[in-house]
Amino acid sequence: MYAQMVKSEATQDDPEQLAAFQARIDAGEKIEPKDWMPEGYRKTLIRQIGQHAHSEIVGQLPEGNWITRAPTLERKAILLAKVQDEAGHGLYLYCAAETLGVSRDEMTEMLLDGRMKYSSIFNYPTLNWADIGAVGWLVDGAAIMNQVPLQRTSFGPYSRAMIRVCKEESFHQRQGYDAIRKMAEGTPEQKKMAQDALNRLWYPSLMMFGPSDKDSVHSAQSMAWKIKMNTNDELRQKFVDQTVPQAEYLGLTVPDPDLKWNEERGHYDYTDPDWSEFFEVIKGNGPCNTDRLAARNKAWDDGAWVRDGLLAHAKKKAGRQHAAE
Amino acid sequence: MNAPLAKEEAFLQFLLRMGDNTLILGHRVSEWCGHAPVLEEDIALANTALDMIGQTQMWLGLAAEVHGPGKSADDLAFLRDAWDFRNVLLVEVPNGDFGRTLMRQFLFDAWHSIQLGRLMKSSDERVAAIAEKASKEVAYHLERSADTVVGLGDGTEESHRRMQEALDYLWPYAGEMFQSDDVDAEMVKAGIAPDPASLREEYDVLVSRILNEATLTIPESRFAHKGGRTGAMHTEHLGHLLTQMQWLQRAYPGAKW
């Protein structure tokens, strides 16, 4: 769930064309890049897929924060493989977005100057090693909740990207759970780290699903277009129901004193995150927003000479080949 | 005159040299995570680091086995101090800019690929098996680092200048990979590993070809810093690297992760 509060674009197309388009979606057909599509559908998807891609890229930073301090060779290898997967997800999501007529460089510029967003979760810090387990368990767990239904989304390239992403994400989630389990079963200090990670990351994970349905203004059109498959609250509830028993199994306490099983609803009752905090993070006032964007900008700026150099070489080489022919 | 090294001790030193090289360079490369010039490079750097950590698990795993019961690869990686490390100095120098990182990778990969090719014929089957697996990965590392060195050396004026600076800085660290000592003599005698000096000619041919294509000039001086692979004198940088890498294991002794 790396896309939050994606604004649906109003669309001003011919009503007959629109109706035919909607009929295709209702019939479960996939929309492919060369098919006619409403401008609003295209723009909304660019925003959503782009935000998802950016999240994969920025998401390297909180995890990279621990690669050099991973406690064993195996954990280091697992974390490196995971971060590599995520950069790969970013790559094929950018490719999916490019089929809609926007280049990766354009999207990157929009991330770097703040016009495009990434998931709020990556504006929280990773402070102890258990955070790496918790990111896999909770953050990837929340992402999967959203991405599994998106495998059936109406836009073909996005759907196919999600199928691949989901396979790897569920693997990451299992590895994350295994890492935090090891700590929850470990020394008192390790258990303290695990609990500390859960305390800090629980509510930010719930925020990943976006605002409550009553405040979610963009959902209806996106759901009709099948680029959003469930409401925010549905997915959040599903996540809570799945995660609470896992926390209990670990012997960890979910930081919500009002959390309890509601027999009648067949779901857990839980406390909503502090939405004012969420909107502050979205506005740029999360604990790490400034540093994350600065890190990405620095990487991009410092890398300019590399990109220019490789491009210049490719041109020279092509020129030499041309001259030789 | 030193007393001759016992074969077991020499074998252990040899394995530490192999495993520490990949451990320390893998660590350095992993520092790039999320900060590369372009997404494909983020993926390639993570992939390279991952391969090297995997190779470390094999080399230090075997070293732990040779060391005797009760030691693991993790003990060797996380619980030795700087003077016990046997990596060449080249792999512990800081990353610098992307150009220096890739130049260091190329200078190492070129040696590594030749070394692994020889080790595939080692009289020790375990060494030969590790070399065989690692050589496939390293063939790709070398292809990529060489391509990048050529692309940036023969790119823009700025990229050329930066690559020449990287080469000038790193070249004095290349020679250590070819210095032979008692450990190597023992390994040659046992048919386990080649004499490092014997790899130099092939290395020079390979490196000259690529650097020439990259329009870069190899410094004339053959001066070589040394002290890493014997452990006699590392750079100041290694201690800081270990401080970070070993922190959790040192702060919480005995914990299982």
Side-chain angles (χ1 to χ4, degrees):
Chain A
M1 161 80 40
Y2 291 155
Q4 296 159 317
M5 301 183 69
V6 175
K7 186 171 171 286
S8 291
E9 287 281 336
T11 213
Q12 297 171 331
D13 297 284
D14 170 54
E16 262 181 46
Q17 255 184 323
L18 270 181
F21 179 78
Q22 190 62 47
R24 288 189 63 195
I25 288 179
D26 294 343
E29 280 181 43
K30 290 278 179 261
I31 308 300
E32 295 299 333
K34 285 184 178 159
D35 297 349
W36 182 86
M37 63 185 77
E39 195 52 18
Y41 177 86
R42 196 181 66 81
K43 282 189 176 158
T44 308
L45 266 176
I46 288 175
R47 203 169 283 153
Q48 181 169 333
I49 300 172
Q51 198 181 108
H52 189 163
H54 296 329
S55 299
E56 301 281 359
I57 303 312
V58 178
Q60 293 179 95
L61 297 172
E63 298 198 295
N65 184 39
W66 279 93
I67 285 181
T68 54
R69 290 178 290 169
T72 68
L73 294 170
E74 189 186 5
R75 293 286 173 207
K76 196 192 283 279
I78 289 172
L79 187 53
L80 272 167
K82 176 174 194 251
V83 174
Q84 188 192 351
D85 283 349
E86 275 153 11
H89 296 171
L91 194 58
Y92 41 84
L93 283 161
Y94 282 129
C95 291
E98 281 185 323
T99 67
L100 292 159
V102 60
S103 74
R104 198 210 305 178
D105 281 358
E106 284 173 277
M107 284 184 280
T108 300
E109 296 289 348
M110 286 194 274
L111 167 68
L112 296 179
D113 67 18
R115 276 176 291 160
M116 283 183 91
K117 302 284 183 204
Y118 53 91
S119 177
S120 57
I121 190 70
F122 300 118
N123 289 313
Y124 288 86
T126 50
L127 299 180
N128 82 60
W129 170 251
D131 285 28
I132 296 305
V135 165
W137 172 37
L138 301 174
V139 175
D140 292 331
I144 291 165
M145 284 291 156
N146 183 52
Q147 288 166 10
V148 165
L150 276 176
Q151 294 178 105
R152 292 180 283 109
T153 188
S154 60
F155 187 56
Y158 192 26
S159 159
R160 291 188 286 275
M162 281 303 113
I163 290 169
R164 188 157 162 201
V165 166
C166 280
K167 280 187 196 144
E168 291 176 349
E169 290 291 2
S170 39
F171 192 55
H172 298 165
Q173 196 204 8
R174 282 203 300 277
Q175 288 173 329
Y177 190 73
D178 176 67
I180 202 163
R181 184 180 55 80
K182 196 95 181 194
M183 297 184 73
E185 293 168 355
T187 65
E189 290 93 342
Q190 286 177 300
K191 189 159 183 169
K192 190 174 164 190
M193 290 179 210
Q195 184 62 54
D196 176 55
L198 179 58
N199 290 350
R200 280 180 289 101
L201 289 167
W202 174 255
Y203 287 108
S205 299
L206 296 186
M207 291 176 196
M208 287 176 67
F209 298 96
S212 179
D213 292 347
K214 60 183 189 304
D215 303 314
S216 183
V217 287
H218 312 301
S219 287
Q221 179 62 75
S222 287
M223 288 183 78
W225 279 335
K226 290 190 189 165
I227 54 184
K228 186 179 172 99
M229 309 298 284
N230 304 84
T231 73
N232 297 349
D233 286 336
E234 275 168 22
L235 291 171
R236 193 169 10 250
Q237 181 71 62
K238 205 172 164 199
F239 174 75
V240 171
D241 291 348
Q242 175 187 289
T243 309
V244 169
Q246 293 171 345
E248 283 170 358
Y249 179 81
L250 294 174
L252 299 177
T253 308
V254 175
D256 178 357
D258 296 326
L259 182 79
K260 62 172 188 302
W261 178 252
N262 184 325
E263 195 63 55
E264 205 175 306
R265 291 202 308 127
H267 292 292
Y268 281 94
D269 291 337
Y270 63 92
T271 306
D272 258 343
D274 175 355
W275 290 116
S276 63
E277 178 182 316
F278 172 74
F279 288 111
E280 284 298 332
V281 176
I282 294 285
K283 266 196 291 185
N285 296 324
C288 300
N289 295 58
T290 308
D291 289 345
R292 297 281 189 251
L293 260 193
R296 288 309 305 165
N297 271 289
K298 185 173 188 307
W300 188 249
D301 295 344
D302 288 354
W305 72 269
V306 176
R307 297 188 301 274
D308 292 347
L310 293 176
L311 193 67
H313 177 72
K315 280 184 186 158
K316 281 188 206 177
K317 209 170 148 185
R320 282 197 289 261
Q321 264 165 5
H322 187 70
E325 276 164 14
Chain B
M1 187 80 184
N2 293 336
L5 275 170
K7 187 191 153 198
E8 284 296 279
E9 176 54 24
F11 188 39
L12 176 62
Q13 292 298 314
F14 160 76
L15 293 169
L16 292 175
R17 287 172 177 181
M18 293 303 295
D20 289 346
N21 277 341
T22 51
L23 173 62
I24 301 302
L25 187 55
H27 181 100
R28 279 288 185 231
V29 173
S30 78
E31 291 172 358
W32 272 97
C33 174
H35 305 284
V38 65
L39 187 47
E40 283 80 354
E41 291 301 333
D42 265 319
I43 296 172
L45 288 165
N47 185 50
T48 304
L50 177 58
D51 285 346
M52 286 192 287
I53 298 303
Q55 292 165 16
T56 305
Q57 287 176 293
M58 297 190 284
W59 290 121
L60 293 188
L62 184 51
E65 209 179 297
V66 170
H67 197 283
K71 280 272 181 206
S72 68
D74 282 336
D75 291 338
L76 292 172
F78 295 99
L79 298 175
R80 281 179 300 153
D81 206 340
W83 54 52
D84 292 323
F85 275 77
R86 295 291 179 264
N87 57 279
V88 291
L89 303 177
L90 174 71
V91 298
E92 68 192 47
V93 295
N95 286 336
D97 66 7
F98 182 80
R100 190 193 283 181
T101 296
L102 263 291
M103 180 60 80
R104 181 185 59 196
Q105 191 69 41
F106 168 67
L107 294 175
F108 180 78
D109 290 343
W111 168 81
H112 203 197
S113 69
I114 298 168
Q115 167 82 341
L116 290 172
R118 304 282 178 93
L119 292 180
M120 281 161 67
K121 292 173 249 158
S122 173
S123 63
D124 187 291
E125 283 174 14
R126 298 164 299 179
V127 169
I130 296 173
E132 171 136 13
K133 186 169 187 304
S135 70
K136 290 180 192 135
E137 296 165 349
V138 170
Y140 166 73
H141 298 174
L142 177 62
E143 186 185 324
R144 171 178 169 270
S145 62
D147 280 355
T148 312
V149 164
V150 169
L152 292 174
D154 182 31
T156 60
E157 208 172 300
E158 182 182 5
S159 73
H160 176 84
R161 174 180 57 78
R162 284 175 181 263
M163 295 312 280
Q164 186 63 53
E165 280 169 10
L167 180 58
D168 292 347
Y169 175 81
L170 292 167
W171 189 248
Y173 291 100
E176 190 188 5
M177 296 186 284
F178 307 97
Q179 286 172 352
S180 308
D181 65 4
D182 292 354
V183 170
D184 301 303
E186 195 59 41
M187 289 298 95
V188 172
K189 206 166 82 185
I192 291 176
D195 178 7
S198 73
L199 309 183
R200 183 81 207 218
E201 203 181 319
E202 195 177 338
Y203 182 83
D204 283 342
V205 170
L206 171 60
V207 165
S208 304
R209 178 170 61 80
I210 297 298
L211 293 177
N212 187 41
E213 204 181 323
T215 70
L216 296 170
T217 310
I218 296 178
E220 275 177 24
S221 171
R222 274 275 185 145
F223 172 76
H225 292 292
K226 59 184 182 207
R229 70 195 298 274
T230 61
M233 193 165 76
H234 281 278
T235 66
E236 288 181 345
H237 308 297
L238 182 63
H240 293 280
L241 185 154
L242 296 182
T243 303
Q244 197 172 48
M245 185 175 86
Q246 299 181 334
W247 175 66
L248 277 172
Q249 289 272 2
R250 299 283 193 180
Y252 301 98
K256 300 276 174 267
W257 306 90

